[in-house]
Amino acid sequence: MSSAYINGIGVFFPNQPVTNDDIENVLGMVNGKPSRSKKRILNSNGIITRYYAIDPVTGKQTHNNAQITAEAIQNLTAKVNFSLEELDCLVCGTSGADQLFPHHGLMVHGELGFPPCEVASTAGVCCAGVSAFKYGYMNVLSGLTKNAITTGSELVSNALRSVYFQPEIDSKVDALSKNPTLSFEKDFIRWMLSDAAGAVLIENAPRPDGLSLKIDWIDYISYANELGACMYMGAKKLEDDSLKGWREVENPDEVYQESYFAVQQDVKLLGENIIPYGGKGLSRVRAKRNLDSNKINWFLPHYSSEFFREQTYEEIAKAGVPIPYKKWFTNLTTKGNTGSASIFVMLEELLYSGNLKKGETIFCLVPESSRFSYAYIHLTVV
């Protein structure tokens, strides 16, 4: 039976890391005033540094999404000595391409300028990188292509600038101290999200030297049939919980006045469901794959905030997959929440850490709150 392997991972972070004290210097202040909720939110999410494709001096954008994705691919190919002349398939996942169309993958292909090949894009938020990864994996596993490069990238900082946010944020400050979950409002997003790109080389044979990661399986489950939209952009949530997209607006001025293009989160829906439904999906995967937590050596959970760390620990144990903290690996605090790039950002750091040993297994959990979908990945070090 044929197999597929991760034979290299490249990442790219634009500019220098931004500390908590410097966020508003880069993104700007909402309504011309320092955020009164910033400190509480940062204490909750635990993030210390993140990256923005914005010049901290001029406030101008330094890269677009296609460019940071191309940088990650170039870092990958240089690291593993792979020529893009040999590439059969490119698949790019992101939550926010630089334009509505052409699709993101085509823009990345154009940015790099390598010879013709199959190019596709996947949409979503945190799971967009995984869906791109699964597309490339299936291509290689089925024998349709010898190799694939798949990416997850996010450039969200330009939408986090103060001009996109409304002054009503400060009216919620008192509630934040009473219920930490309430911090997941518009203001929360500004202190969490980060720009980054990750690129993965998938081939039909492991590397002759060094370590590879055999892709054992990938499961991707949506619960959109049971839950409404939770995290959204380019839309407004109505009283009946449906979304009104920006193209449905009769007066174009309303799109700006109502912050249609601010990243928004239904915090009540998030707090009640993001962890339990991840456990629900995990129970299903455990039964399907006969997943044994005792045989897992490394656990890479993507979560948006340290606030969810203990809840995740308890929920996976309830689902029959208890994993002690000593097996966990995450870099949220230093890289920020990089969305669809996050799992690749974690895997890259772990793969080149020198801590992996042949025969060890890696289990990855990637939740997406946009309308509650979850990805589960199992890898073996070879």
Side-chain angles (χ1 to χ4, degrees):
M1 181 178 179
S2 59
S3 298
Y5 303 84
I6 295 175
N7 281 349
I9 307 174
V11 297
F12 179 75
F13 304 99
N15 305 314
Q16 296 299 309
V18 177
T19 66
N20 292 344
D21 292 336
D22 290 330
I23 297 175
E24 285 180 303
N25 294 334
V26 180
L27 299 181
M29 297 181 186
V30 175
N31 207 29
K33 299 177 182 179
S35 170
R36 293 165 53 201
S37 61
K38 170 186 165 185
K39 185 175 181 180
R40 289 191 180 97
I41 296 169
L42 288 170
N43 285 341
S44 177
N45 70 31
I47 298 170
I48 300 171
T49 54
R50 76 285 294 144
Y51 293 81
Y52 297 138
I54 296 175
D55 187 313
V57 177
T58 65
K60 301 295 184 181
Q61 187 171 322
T62 59
H63 305 74
N64 63 28
N65 197 335
Q67 289 168 340
I68 66 170
T69 308
E71 291 278 4
I73 292 172
Q74 289 176 322
N75 289 341
L76 162 66
T77 56
K79 187 180 295 183
V80 300
N81 194 28
F82 177 86
S83 172
L84 290 175
E85 303 277 331
E86 305 170 24
L87 185 62
D88 292 335
C89 177
L90 172 68
V91 197
C92 300
T94 188
S95 65
D98 299 310
Q99 62 289 309
L100 296 178
F101 52 82
H103 70 70
H104 181 51
L106 294 178
M107 299 305 289
V108 175
H109 186 201
E111 187 73 29
L112 290 167
F114 55 86
C117 72
E118 179 180 356
V119 179
S121 295
T122 60
V125 187
C126 299
C127 285
V130 179
S131 57
F133 179 59
K134 187 166 185 177
Y135 184 116
Y137 162 62
M138 292 189 296
N139 251 11
V140 174
L141 188 69
S142 65
L144 293 174
T145 63
K146 299 186 303 294
N147 59 55
I149 287 179
T150 69
T151 71
S153 65
E154 299 297 351
L155 195 144
V156 70
S157 59
N158 52 7
L160 299 179
R161 291 173 297 163
S162 56
V163 294
Y164 285 96
F165 291 80
Q166 300 299 307
E168 75 265 18
I169 289 172
D170 281 345
S171 67
K172 300 181 177 69
V173 172
D174 291 339
L176 295 179
S177 60
K178 298 175 182 177
N179 184 354
T181 304
L182 291 177
S183 66
F184 297 95
E185 290 282 0
K186 292 179 185 178
D187 208 23
F188 160 79
I189 298 295
R190 302 189 78 214
W191 318 126
M192 176 190 69
L193 299 179
S194 181
D195 298 339
V200 177
L201 173 63
I202 304 172
E203 295 182 289
N204 58 8
R207 293 183 60 186
D209 57 342
L211 297 178
S212 295
L213 303 178
K214 181 178 181 291
I215 306 169
D216 299 316
W217 47 262
I218 306 169
D219 284 336
Y220 189 10
I221 303 171
S222 164
Y223 287 103
N225 62 313
E226 299 181 24
L227 298 167
C230 178
M231 186 178 181
Y232 47 95
M233 185 180 183
K236 180 180 179 180
K237 199 161 194 178
L238 305 180
E239 290 185 3
D240 64 357
D241 286 336
S242 65
L243 291 186
K244 180 181 180 181
W246 65 275
R247 292 193 293 187
E248 299 177 56
V249 175
E250 293 182 9
N251 181 357
D253 290 340
E254 183 185 336
V255 173
Y256 179 76
Q257 293 167 357
E258 297 294 327
S259 297
Y260 271 70
F261 285 103
V263 183
Q264 300 181 60
Q265 188 104 54
D266 184 328
V267 296
K268 185 174 185 295
L269 199 61
L270 177 76
E272 292 177 351
N273 296 291
I274 189 65
I275 300 299
Y277 269 82
K280 183 176 181 178
L282 182 56
S283 295
R284 178 173 167 176
V285 169
R286 174 175 172 259
K288 175 183 177 182
R289 301 292 184 178
N290 195 27
L291 185 61
D292 183 353
S293 61
N294 293 317
K295 296 180 180 179
I296 296 172
N297 300 107
W298 297 91
F299 176 48
L300 276 59
H302 165 62
Y303 44 77
S304 60
S305 168
E306 287 290 316
F307 175 74
F308 289 128
R309 181 179 173 88
E310 186 175 349
Q311 294 180 44
T312 299
Y313 176 86
E314 294 172 351
E315 191 64 37
I316 63 173
K318 190 191 304 182
V321 190
I323 305 175
Y325 284 128
K326 65 181 180 180
K327 294 184 177 182
W328 290 40
F329 183 90
T330 176
N331 51 18
L332 172 72
T333 58
T334 55
K335 301 301 191 297
N337 178 359
T338 56
S340 65
S342 64
I343 195 61
F344 304 139
V345 167
M346 284 188 278
L347 276 170
E348 189 271 346
E349 186 171 327
L350 179 60
L351 178 60
Y352 300 110
S353 67
N355 295 322
L356 291 180
K357 299 176 183 177
K358 290 184 178 181
E360 290 186 329
T361 61
I362 302 170
F363 179 57
C364 308
L365 166 61
V366 183
E368 177 179 298
S369 66
S370 60
R371 194 157 177 177
F372 297 97
S373 57
Y374 300 82
Y376 308 86
I377 304 170
H378 195 278
L379 309 168
T380 299
V381 183
V382 296

